[in-house]
Amino acid sequence: MVCRRQRSGGRMRGWWWGALLLPPVLACGTGDTGLEERPLAPGGSGGGGPVEVPPPVIHGPPAPLATELLGPELGAPRDALDLSFDQGGGLWIAARDGLFVRPPGAHFFDPITASDGLPRAEIHAVGGLAAGTALVSFRGGEPPRLVRIDEGGGIAVEEAPLSPLVARFRPVETEDGRFLVAATGAGLAVLDAEGTVRGTRTLPAPAPELWDVAVTPAGDAWVGDATRVARVAGPVTATLAGAVSPVVDLVPGEADDVVAVEVCPDGTIWASSLGHGVFGLSPTGAIRHHLTQEEVLPQDHVPALACDLDGSLWIGTSWGGLARRHPDASFSYHGATAGLPGDSVRRLVVVPDENGGRTLWMATDGGVARTTAE
């Protein structure tokens, strides 16, 4: 399937969302008027109806991955879109069927619904703030909401003064406490742990609508949008007035569609250009690596990236499972047939522990799972 994309914000958002959620039928949603589907091969359907997507490229057998699934028996959702931890250790999950939270020390998840004050809209992303507090964004123009749970279990929901579209919330720990850096439809926004907006910044045209943000140890923000990846000089938690440089066009002549950005411990910036694979950049913005399905990736649709503490890069694809680029540049692959809860990976989060280890958390079409695989 080939998708012709126009660069208007609404149409690009629709195409990205369809590619994120898709697995088995379409790589591009048929309900988006800005898209035109073409057949995969002569004789295929080009009339806008469902067509089969190309299968993932098999570069190696799936390696076993010991995962623990947090499933419906615990009150967790079956189909997860995003996950985040608040400062107290509470786990928040954004899912196709709503918002879920597991307070620290609890075994079961609690749903937060319209009866608690949430709008009846499809949730897009979630970001953990202070203990018992998270920020949630939605599809369809609903402003984000702050959700607070008090010690007695009472729930308060209030509207947050942000752009209606927030594609990603990125928690950042600093000497001054926790902040949440948000990639929004109007650029960058920074909130403190209580959910107070500390500042906003609209980036230069052509695409002020951001799709992801990652923050370096020095406080610079690397952002991705429909046309580029760029660095905003920091520290972003103190000021958003830094210069926007460098600006890198990953795919000259075509939309970059940068939906995931990560900064690894060695300083490498990884960015996935939806449909064009994954790029590795130096701290100065020079392109050092380009990973594609022709060589190492299961597919070129990559909505999720995560840097591991050992120098590995975890790569989550739209319907081709999980790949891991090891520090020596070798690859291993994981799928639903070998321990993964689902082959559509929407979010990956690495959480260090007090003993120097870490846990990889994943939000997939089969639910949320975790692994401590070496």
Side-chain angles (χ1 to χ4, degrees):
M1 177 186 302
V2 177
C3 292
R4 292 177 179 169
R5 303 183 293 277
Q6 300 184 25
R7 292 179 184 260
S8 65
R11 288 174 177 172
M12 293 299 292
R13 287 195 299 272
W15 177 79
W16 171 33
W17 188 259
L20 259 178
L21 296 184
L22 224 82
V25 184
L26 296 176
C28 306
T30 58
D32 191 322
T33 58
L35 306 178
E36 176 185 347
E37 295 180 2
R38 298 209 303 257
L40 293 172
S45 170
V51 295
E52 291 189 6
V53 299
V57 177
I58 306 300
H59 296 285
L65 188 66
T67 62
E68 178 188 0
L69 176 65
L70 284 66
E73 69 279 2
L74 300 178
R78 296 179 182 273
D79 193 344
L81 305 175
D82 195 7
L83 64 89
S84 187
F85 289 87
D86 63 38
Q87 273 190 304
L91 172 58
W92 298 77
I93 300 175
R96 298 285 298 264
D97 52 354
L99 179 66
F100 297 78
V101 60
R102 186 175 72 172
H107 188 63
F108 295 97
F109 286 81
D110 297 318
I112 299 177
T113 67
S115 64
D116 300 308
L118 280 186
R120 298 182 183 276
E122 193 169 355
I123 292 177
H124 191 167
V126 62
L129 291 163
T133 307
L135 194 56
V136 184
S137 68
F138 305 87
R139 297 191 70 208
E142 280 286 346
R145 299 300 201 274
L146 270 169
V147 182
R148 306 180 194 273
I149 304 175
D150 62 31
E151 294 182 358
I155 299 172
V157 178
E158 61 184 90
E159 189 173 309
L162 291 175
S163 163
L165 174 70
V166 181
R168 179 73 187 270
F169 297 108
R170 179 79 67 162
V172 179
E173 301 290 348
T174 73
E175 294 180 354
D176 297 322
R178 168 170 289 206
F179 293 86
L180 204 62
V181 181
T184 85
L188 279 176
V190 175
L191 302 92
D192 63 22
E194 299 304 319
T196 302
V197 178
R198 299 284 296 268
T200 59
R201 167 79 181 275
T202 299
L203 269 63
E209 177 183 304
L210 302 182
W211 287 0
D212 202 3
V213 56
V215 180
T216 71
D220 297 336
W222 282 87
V223 300
D225 61 34
T227 63
R228 66 199 168 184
V229 62
R231 183 183 64 207
V232 180
V236 293
T237 55
T239 175
L240 288 172
V244 181
S245 174
V247 176
V248 184
D249 184 3
L250 298 176
V251 191
E254 298 188 44
D256 282 7
D257 299 337
V258 179
V259 296
V261 183
E262 284 291 318
V263 177
C264 282
D266 67 355
T268 302
I269 294 89
W270 292 97
S272 68
S273 175
L274 203 62
H276 295 285
V278 178
F279 293 80
L281 283 67
S282 73
T284 60
I287 297 176
R288 290 176 171 173
H289 312 282
H290 186 196
L291 313 178
T292 68
Q293 67 178 13
E294 292 183 356
E295 296 180 351
V296 291
L297 298 183
Q299 61 184 200
D300 286 335
H301 288 251
V302 178
L305 297 170
C307 298
D308 211 334
L309 303 183
D310 68 349
S312 296
L313 177 71
W314 295 92
I315 301 168
T317 68
S318 285
W319 62 91
L322 184 65
R324 183 182 186 183
R325 183 183 188 270
H326 296 271
D328 63 358
S330 64
F331 273 77
S332 56
Y333 304 91
H334 310 281
T337 59
L340 207 65
D343 282 328
S344 179
V345 182
R346 285 73 176 270
R347 186 71 77 218
L348 296 168
V349 177
V350 172
V351 179
D353 61 36
E354 297 177 351
N355 300 318
R358 62 87 179 98
T359 300
L360 173 70
W361 291 82
M362 59 196 81
T364 79
D365 61 330
V368 167
R370 61 185 176 186
T371 179
T372 55
E374 297 299 328

